[in-house]
């Protein structure tokens, strides 16, 4: 990518650039100086910044701009403290590749609608049934490209299935180690999901479980959950996933007022089901980033605590929002269901996709093992493989 033009504007406080592919964007002198790519500003070894905000002038001035023979931008700054025309020699000169600037242009319309999702994220409903990203354990263990394709499914839809996982206790952790690290909790490095006589958690019974995100009483929550089937010969016990971001979108489109209640007021979650554990958190059911982007959904009837952060006059609207969220959640048009066979596993983005299971009965065995991991590690591994392949 090449630049076709560059001009100094605003008395040297900014630049206006034009690319050969079309498009124009302005950049502040301060931004350009702060993001200089030279060896004094950024370590050539690891790319980390060597200066602080206090090491750069508060109001740098562009003395001179040029498009190089390669179509890159060359910027000469006036010496610190000098104006554009009061400068003689010695201003810092830096270069920026045209494509680097194009990818980082900020002088463009920015979508600020609340409840939108990141680029590359696609919300889903029941239409995804049968089309959830699937892969085979042996294949993604041996082939980085296949691993990336599977991880990309998690990034896009927040859920993926893996088959052919060795039917041995602990295999679920080996899957997490393909892209990141197991996150250990009070439930252990991994946890057993099978009916127990005196369960410390309702997950360890044969009851059906309403769709939920796991462990909302932690802050931060585990951002990924993996559940692997070792045995499944019972009647029932199907797994279902629902996209919490799609629920949030529906709620927003139906009633901005109800959406607002779940994004504005903190809910409370707690777990105190075993000795020595008193976990609690205070976070909204639908969490937005400061710019309105959907950040996380937390929903779990078993660990919801009394809500005490909603003003008296707003409490009826808050409950109406929660009820509507749950109604949308129960809409069959939202659910993707599958039955895990032994040796199969599913992974969910626990900040987004809710999971459920139907009740089960019969004389058979249903034995799952689960573990938590974190999404930043998954996205990092995926980005690194994609960069290598580019
Ligand atoms: Fe769960």
């Amino acid at each position: 990518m090449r630049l076709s033009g560059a001009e100094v504007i605003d008395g040297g406080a900014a630049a206006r650039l034009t690319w050969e592919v079309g498009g124009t964007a302005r950049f502040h002198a301060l931004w350009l100086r702060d993001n200089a790519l030279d060896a004094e500003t950024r370590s050539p070894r690891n790319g980390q910044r060597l200066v602080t905000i206090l090491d750069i002038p508060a109001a740098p001035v562009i003395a001179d701009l040029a498009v190089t023979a390669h179509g890159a931008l060359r910027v000469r700054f006036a010496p610190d403290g000098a104006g554009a025309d009061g400068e003689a020699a010695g201003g810092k000169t830096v270069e920026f590749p045209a494509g680097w600037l194009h990818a980082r242009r900020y002088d463009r319309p920015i979508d600020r609608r609340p409840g939108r999702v990141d680029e590359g994220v696609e919300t889903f409903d029941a239409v995804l049934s049968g089309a959830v990203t699937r892969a085979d354990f042996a294949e993604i263990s041996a082939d980085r490209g296949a691993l990336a394709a599977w991880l990309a499914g998690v990034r896009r839809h927040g859920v993926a299935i893996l088959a052919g996982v060795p039917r041995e206790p602990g295999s679920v952790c080996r899957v997490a180690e393909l892209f990141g690290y197991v996150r250990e909790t009070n439930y252990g490095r991994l946890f057993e999901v099978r009916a127990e006589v005196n369960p410390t958690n309702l997950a360890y019974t044969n009851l059906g479980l309403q769709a939920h995100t796991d462990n909302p009483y932690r802050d931060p929550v585990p951002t990924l959950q993996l559940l692997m089937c070792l045995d499944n010969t019972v009647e029932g016990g199907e797994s279902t996933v629902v996209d919490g971001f799609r629920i949030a979108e529906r709620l927003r489109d139906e009633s901005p007022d109800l959406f607002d209640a779940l994004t504005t007021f903190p809910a409370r979650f707690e777990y105190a089901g075993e000795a020595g554990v008193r976990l609690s958190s205070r976070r909204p059911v639908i969490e937005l980033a400061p710019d309105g982007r959907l950040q996380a959904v937390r929903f779990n009837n078993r660990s919801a605590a009394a809500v005490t952060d909603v003003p008296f006059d707003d409490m009826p609207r808050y409950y109406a929002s929660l009820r509507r969220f749950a109604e949308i959640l129960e809409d069959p048009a939202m659910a993707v269901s599958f039955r895990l066979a032994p040796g199969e596993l599913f992974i969910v983005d626990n900040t987004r996709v809710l999971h459920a299971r139907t009740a089960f009965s019969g004389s058979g065995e249903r034995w799952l093992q689960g573990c938590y991991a974190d999404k930043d590690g998954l996205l990092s591994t995926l980005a690194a493989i994609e960069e290598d392949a580019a």
Side-chain angles (χ1 to χ4, degrees), residues 203 209 212-214 225 227 300 302 355 372:
L209 297 175
H212 59 276
T213 60
D214 259 37
Q225 186 195 32
L227 262 183
N300 191 317
R302 285 167 291 144
H355 60 280
Y372 298 115

Side-chain angles (χ1 to χ4, degrees), residues 306-318:
V307 173
T308 53
D309 302 282
V310 179
F312 183 87
D313 288 338
D314 291 304
M315 193 61 90
R317 178 167 64 101
Y318 183 82

Side-chain angles (χ1 to χ4, degrees), residues 340-385:
L340 282 185
E344 289 186 339
L345 159 156
F346 75 89
I347 179 171
V348 283
D349 177 343
N350 191 49
T351 65
R352 168 184 171 189
V353 173
L354 298 86
H355 60 280
R357 71 146 188 253
T358 57
F360 57 91
S361 60
S363 55
E365 177 99 4
R366 186 178 191 270
W367 180 22
L368 278 72
Q369 284 190 331
C371 74
Y372 298 115
D374 280 309
K375 198 168 64 166
D376 57 352
L378 183 151
L379 296 176
S380 162
T381 299
L382 176 55
I385 300 174

Side-chain angles (χ1 to χ4, degrees), residues 8-15 27-34 52-63 75-85 87 91-92:
V8 179
I9 57 172
D10 300 341
F27 291 87
H28 293 94
L30 181 56
W31 189 97
L32 291 167
R33 179 67 189 265
D34 185 39
T52 74
I53 183 75
L54 300 179
D55 294 320
I56 59 173
V61 173
I62 298 168
V75 186
R76 185 167 61 83
F77 293 98
D80 298 348
D85 45 5
E87 174 273 330
K92 188 180 182 67

